[in-house]
Amino acid sequence: MLKTILGGFTAALMLSSAANATDLIIYHNWSSGPEVAALNVLKAGLEAKGHTWTDIAIPHDTGSNVNLMNLVTGGTPPNVFLESSPGVYRDLAGLGLARPLTEFFTEQGILDHYPASVVSSITVDGEIMKVPTAIHIDGMAYYNMEVAEAAGVDPATWDSLDAMFADFQKVRDAGYIPLAIGGQQWQVGYLTHALAAATGGPEFYSALYGAEPDPSVLDSAEMRALLETLRRFQQEADEGSVNREWNVTTNMVITGQALMQIHGDWMKGEWTAAGKVAGTDFGCVQIPGAKAVPVTVDSWGILGGQPEEVDAAELDFAAVVADPQIQAEFASAKGSTPTRLDAPAEVLDACSVEVLHILENADHQVPNPHSTVDADWQNSIWDVVFNFWSDPSMSVDDAIAQIQENYDIILG
Amino acid sequence: MSQVSISERAAASGEMPVARSPYFVRKKKGITPRTVAILAFLTICALFFCVPLYVVVVTSFKTMDQIREGAIFSLPHIWTLEAWDHAWNRACSGIKCDGLKVGFWNSVFILFPSLILSISLAMVTGFALALWNVRWAGAFLFLLFICAFVPFQIIMYPLIVMTTTTKIYGTLWAVAVIHAVLAMPVLTLIFRNYYKDIPTEIMSAAMMDSGSFWRIFFEIIVPMSGNILIVVLILQITSIWNDYLIGVTFGGLTGQPMTVNLANLITISTGTTNYAHNMAAALLTAIPPLVVYFLVGKLFVQGVTAGAIKG
């Protein structure tokens, strides 16, 4: 009895004092300069609504995100968390702590302004669960304009991978490395799904990386084309490529040793950190002749089962993240692209404008596997393609046989 | 045995046993090709192991512009302490850019209670198990021995629930207590093995004089534990300071140790990397256990040879 009275009393106290100001605990893993600058844009927006931001940064990216679930188990869950993996949202739903946002987004009419791949990235089991905050394209070609000029090639005119490879000899003759590649497992994995979208198109891509992979495409013409293209890339890689970090690789292009790199377009951060300007020092194009581009969407989730005023504050946070002006400022601080097609273009750099232009076509984009696919399945593909990459004697047939075997074990 | 044979031989040949001729006559050797070869080999080995350290130290004094050039072995064009200053005072762990010093003090505040708790508990338990007639002592020791092999990850969730019910989850105390608890099996075994070699005569005499468990412990056992204390201290300081997993799991919002800050700074998947800052931060985090080794390293070896490894 006493307990209920006390409980009611504290609840009333909280209601009266926190009706308009609530402290939100924000969980993320961002610490680099541009990331912090971008977070501060969100923080300013949240504070403008009268709330406060308590920060907790823990390195995660474990796929299943053990640290986040530890905080939940320990009874100190954060209110807002940066998390893309659908598994975490299902776990939270099991604990009664999920907070579906479908209603919120449809009421505000925000969904119409998101590219198609963003909407599918933030949907878990038919409900919208995440607040998208930034877009990166997984396979973009960034090239050094000075080197391109010196070698007499123009990457913007390539309309197919063959046209690209055909120009490589020219680049080599001019004394540059044509294509800088970082040969680490995750980088090869990213290149693989970028190429799957580029060469195989959206249908093949979602059969391979969708929520429910279709085993019939594992031994298809598209799969063979994909693996053969991957082999081609591996053979074009320079000698130092083995196990090289992506940002070291990017710096080869920045310092003019190499013409270009094909990688996620978060590499723009390295370019801007080195004081280079998009459109004058470096250019960016999608993979030549791409049928579709994979889109990485960094998203926030918000905690369910909260008292009303906390829930309202969490929705305020979602509204801040989704605001077009804040989207544009966030993107230019982080070096990403806004999630909204209607973000004010004058704040954006040439590469983001190009990306938003590509994303206007709903059929030309697919979500990053991390936000849709079973983590085990994704890891098994990474294993096989990295073995394939590292061992030139491994044939396309071997790789396909291994992927099929993994399919039977994991999903069959 | 050998002495007998020497004197027998001496008697047989009719000579008197030689009084005190030294057993090991060391001839003063000049520098032979052999020593040169050994020295050269050892120098190369030392250099080989120092190369990574060299790269880390040198990089921490470079500017980012020079690092971008990619020559990792070159000396800095301009020596700058900027990276060290940044790592200590301004490095970001999330949106808070107060540097590693926050985590440093967290680590210190975790270290001391944890050391005191784990070592004092393990000492008393080891003493009781080694020198007193404790019921089920054998079974208890066996259980401890098994516990020493249970990986932390397996009992992580139960431990989280336990710290939550005791209301310490997410504080420095949780990290300190969990460290102490997890170290208990090994530390108890170490102390128990050390104490069981104390001659029974000392114990009998002590019993006659007072008989009190605590008096014997404080007046006889503790003063005799110097060597083993050094060993355990070094073991514990190193493992607590270098731990990441327990800190990240139980530190919650405010109790994260320095290693977690370091990981926040360094594990960046898609952001820009400043290698100078990373190297300086890594060195800063590594310095405290290194200092401990330099200060008491000699005593560590003494302690190990005096107790822990003695059959």
Side-chain angles (χ1 to χ4, degrees), chain B residues 97-206:
Chain B
C97 296
D98 300 325
L100 286 179
K101 58 175 191 269
V102 183
F104 175 84
W105 291 114
N106 276 350
S107 282
V108 170
F109 291 133
I110 289 167
L111 186 63
F112 283 97
S114 190
L115 280 180
I116 294 169
L117 195 62
S118 60
I119 294 182
S120 54
L121 271 175
M123 260 179 108
V124 176
T125 324
F127 164 60
L129 286 176
L131 301 172
W132 292 77
N133 277 328
V134 182
R135 239 186 167 202
W136 305 109
F140 185 67
L141 267 179
F142 180 71
L143 206 66
L144 273 183
F145 186 67
I146 300 287
C147 288
F149 292 96
V150 176
F152 164 66
Q153 285 86 341
I154 292 180
I155 48 171
M156 186 157 89
Y157 278 96
L159 284 176
I160 292 174
V161 174
M162 282 158 76
T163 44
T164 311
T165 37
T166 47
K167 302 263 188 295
I168 54 170
Y169 178 83
T171 63
L172 295 171
W173 286 103
V175 187
V177 169
I178 296 294
H179 269 299
V181 169
L182 291 181
M184 281 302 289
V186 172
L187 295 194
T188 308
L189 286 175
I190 290 179
F191 278 114
R192 187 256 171 194
N193 276 5
Y194 184 77
Y195 291 145
K196 86 174 163 40
D197 290 333
I198 290 177
T200 44
E201 289 81 3
I202 295 183
M203 274 304 286
S204 307

Side-chain angles (χ1 to χ4, degrees), chain A residues 251-289:
Chain A
N251 278 319
M252 291 173 61
V253 188
I254 294 177
T255 50
Q257 300 165 49
L259 167 69
M260 62 188 273
Q261 179 188 15
I262 293 182
H263 187 64
D265 71 355
W266 43 83
M267 65 176 141
K268 186 162 64 188
E270 290 282 326
W271 286 92
T272 33
K276 307 286 182 182
V277 180
T280 50
D281 296 312
F282 64 100
C284 35
V285 290
Q286 58 177 329
I287 293 177

Side-chain angles (χ1 to χ4, degrees), chain B residues 69-89:
Chain B
E69 291 167 13
I72 60 170
F73 293 110
S74 64
L75 285 171
H77 301 323
I78 312 155
W79 290 79
T80 164
L81 277 173
E82 193 275 332
W84 289 77
D85 177 43
H86 180 97
W88 183 252
N89 289 315

